[in-house]
Amino acid sequence: MRHNFGAGPCILPQEVFKQASSAVLDFKDGLSILEISHRSPEFEGVVEETVRLIKELLNVPSGYSVLLLQGGASLQFSMVPMNLLPDGKTAAYLETGVWANKAIKEVKHFGKANIVASSKESNFTFIPKDYVIPEDSAYFHYTSNNTIYGTELFTLPVTKVPVVCDMSSDIMSRQIDVSQYDLIYAGAQKNIGPAGLTIVIVKDEILGKTGRSIPSMLDYQSHIDGGSMYNTPPVFSIYVAMLNLRWLKSKGGIAEIEKENIAKARALYTEIDRNTLFRGTCAIEDRSRMNVCFVMENPELEKPFAKFADENGFEGLKGHRSVGGFRASMYNALPVTSVHALIDLMQNFEETHKNNK
């Protein structure tokens, strides 16, 4: 058995793989999901159910639209200021990692980015606190979970400024109050489905206020008016996302999966803190539940542990090149048995290398 701790694309439930593979062969009357018309009633039903499940699972209030788009979260780095930031105005950004930094770089094409706080000097090992968001900001943008560095922001800052959040790697993993946000976007490939789909949840009343002429494909309103089918949508990605959201609902929804995610993270962090060969890399209060980053106390043991993990069926534990060490990504579909298998692996490695620490 292989244990998939890869940072993305995400692990998905086996039952979702089986249902999706069946639909590749025969989705409707002998037609594959890969060849079905996106204008067919059957696929329109898939889109409607996917949107309905997102709204139900996240308890999206009225006055918000849910969009199923393409281009990944990276396209949203540009679409957000294009749709929300008037020319010459300033938006507030919290710099907590590579993806936040990439979002900041795109703002210059439309206005100005004010970095209200940053943890760059510490290589993003913590979430900045006690910063001030200027009230004249067009919006405040932050990344809720930083996959590379293993930090997560659980408490939304108090502000009257519209809030925009990149939730690519922790959406659907914990309960949130959508009404506190004006726009949420997320690449689907962590907890929702396969790569190729991007979810946008936008408060309708914040749109159309920049005075800017926006190309149709980059205008949120175009996709709202077109029911997420202004152009040909990522059919297979949406279908698999629907299956995965059905699975999440069957498990009791986000409230129940959050309990599992808390238990998985607590168990692994406890072992990292106990084990004499390993140590965490982030501030304890900011540790991510989704991406657990750790290093060896003795760097010379890094390659032996990586080899030991591979020989015992563990995938995706290598840390990002900018951080090094190891990263265990524990998205919704990762079973708790895999986490305990990793803990056993770490304990076995400690037992055989305790004199080399």
Side-chain angles (χ1 to χ4, degrees):
M1 177 181 178
R2 302 296 288 183
H3 302 281
N4 184 4
F5 287 89
C10 69
I11 181 174
L12 290 172
Q14 286 298 308
E15 63 190 76
V16 170
F17 284 134
K18 292 177 182 177
Q19 292 168 344
S21 61
S22 177
V24 168
L25 296 176
D26 186 353
F27 172 67
K28 177 69 174 179
D29 298 332
L31 288 178
S32 168
I33 187 64
L34 302 179
E35 62 181 344
I36 195 79
S37 169
H38 68 286
R39 296 297 181 187
S40 67
E42 291 79 14
F43 185 70
E44 287 180 350
V46 170
V47 170
E48 291 170 2
E49 182 177 352
T50 303
V51 170
R52 184 171 64 251
L53 284 167
I54 292 170
K55 288 183 174 181
E56 179 182 348
L57 289 165
L58 289 173
N59 194 25
V60 178
S62 61
Y64 285 76
S65 294
V66 173
L67 304 176
L68 310 178
L69 306 181
Q70 301 177 66
S74 294
L75 181 57
Q76 296 306 308
F77 299 160
S78 297
M79 282 186 71
V80 166
M82 185 180 291
N83 283 265
L84 303 185
L85 183 61
D87 288 336
K89 297 297 183 179
T90 300
Y93 278 72
L94 185 64
E95 187 180 30
T96 54
V98 165
W99 306 115
N101 185 260
K102 288 187 175 184
I104 290 167
K105 289 180 179 179
E106 296 305 313
V107 179
K108 65 182 180 182
H109 299 291
F110 311 99
K112 299 177 182 178
N114 172 26
I115 301 176
V116 295
S118 174
S119 52
K120 185 176 182 178
E121 290 186 1
S122 73
N123 201 29
F124 302 115
T125 55
F126 70 94
I127 300 291
K129 302 165 184 70
D130 300 323
Y131 48 86
V132 176
I133 302 170
E135 292 187 1
D136 61 349
S137 302
Y139 60 85
F140 168 66
H141 176 286
Y142 77 99
T143 306
S144 56
N145 184 76
N146 299 284
T147 55
I148 292 175
Y149 306 96
T151 60
E152 190 168 6
L153 196 156
F154 296 99
T155 303
L156 183 64
V158 177
T159 180
K160 295 180 180 180
V161 170
V163 176
V164 176
C165 186
D166 176 359
M167 288 190 184
S168 291
S169 52
D170 64 351
I171 194 170
M172 299 286 177
S173 71
R174 57 187 174 92
Q175 297 179 90
I176 60 169
D177 181 356
V178 173
S179 69
Q180 293 184 320
Y181 301 86
D182 293 82
L183 191 147
I184 294 168
Y185 64 91
Q189 65 273 14
K190 310 295 185 182
N191 282 319
I192 298 176
L197 170 66
T198 304
I199 308 298
V200 172
I201 304 170
V202 59
K203 194 173 186 177
D204 298 326
E205 67 180 34
I206 70 169
L207 299 177
K209 297 181 178 181
T210 64
R212 178 181 295 119
S213 177
I214 303 173
S216 297
M217 270 296 290
L218 301 175
D219 189 342
Y220 291 126
Q221 194 63 53
S222 296
H223 297 285
I224 293 173
D225 295 343
S228 292
M229 288 197 284
Y230 176 80
N231 67 318
T232 304
V235 172
F236 188 64
S237 295
I238 293 174
Y239 177 70
V240 178
M242 181 196 72
L243 297 177
N244 195 49
L245 293 171
R246 283 179 182 174
W247 169 85
L248 179 56
K249 181 179 178 180
S250 73
K251 287 181 65 66
I254 294 177
E256 290 303 313
I257 207 68
E258 182 175 20
K259 293 177 184 177
E260 291 188 16
N261 289 330
I262 289 172
K264 290 187 292 188
R266 181 180 294 134
L268 185 52
Y269 280 122
T270 296
E271 175 59 24
I272 290 170
D273 293 339
R274 183 214 63 80
N275 197 302
T276 58
L277 301 185
F278 303 91
R279 62 177 173 85
T281 58
C282 303
I284 291 175
E285 68 273 15
D286 298 325
R287 284 174 164 177
S288 168
R289 295 175 189 162
M290 297 288 95
N291 309 99
V292 177
C293 295
F294 56 99
V295 296
M296 312 294 300
E297 290 285 7
N298 180 357
E300 293 182 1
L301 291 179
E302 183 172 317
K303 288 184 179 180
F305 180 71
K307 184 173 183 292
F308 186 59
D310 182 66
E311 291 172 347
N312 284 274
F314 290 80
E315 295 281 349
L317 284 176
K318 184 178 180 180
H320 191 271
R321 60 185 178 277
S322 64
V323 177
F326 300 93
R327 172 176 55 179
S329 296
M330 303 187 298
Y331 302 121
N332 285 352
L334 182 79
V336 67
T337 51
S338 288
V339 177
H340 287 293
L342 176 57
I343 291 170
D344 290 342
L345 183 87
M346 295 167 71
Q347 291 175 349
N348 290 337
F349 191 79
E350 180 189 33
E351 183 62 29
T352 56
H353 293 80
K354 56 187 176 182
N355 294 325
N356 298 322
K357 62 182 179 181

